[in-house]
Amino acid sequence: MDLNEDPKDLEQEYMDITEANTLSALERAVVGIYAVRETPGSNSSDVGLILEGVVLLRDLENVALAAAMLFGFFPS
C-alpha cells in the first residue's frame, strides 16, 4: 500500500455488473484480491488475486488464503 493512497480505494464493491464490466474493473487494479458474491452478505463463490491487471489465481477457498498467497508474488 502506498502511503498516498485513499483508503476508500482499497475495497470496491460492484452490484449487478456483467462479466465484461467485471473484467474491465479488474484490469484497472494494480494489486488486489477480489471476491465474487451472488448476493450481498453471502459466501464468496470465487476469490482470486490480481497483479498488474492480470488475474493470477482464481477459485481460492477464502480471502485469508488469497492474502497469504499474495505475499508469495512479491520479491523479498
Side-chain angles (χ1 to χ4, degrees):
M1 180 170 112
D2 183 8
L3 296 177
N4 293 325
E5 290 184 62
D6 185 358
K8 290 184 268 180
D9 292 338
L10 296 176
E11 179 181 340
Q12 299 167 357
E13 184 174 340
Y14 301 97
M15 304 286 291
D16 297 325
I17 190 168
T18 65
E19 187 172 345
N21 291 342
T22 302
L23 292 175
S24 175
L26 293 177
E27 287 173 355
R28 290 190 299 266
V30 176
V31 175
I33 297 171
Y34 71 87
V36 176
R37 297 178 181 180
E38 299 300 324
T39 59
S42 67
N43 289 335
S44 300
S45 61
D46 182 22
V47 176
L49 296 177
I50 305 161
L51 185 60
E52 296 183 1
V54 176
V55 177
L56 297 176
L57 296 172
R58 291 183 176 176
D59 298 324
L60 298 174
E61 291 181 28
N62 53 50
V63 174
L65 175 61
M69 300 279 294
L70 184 61
F71 284 106
F73 288 101
F74 296 122
S76 49

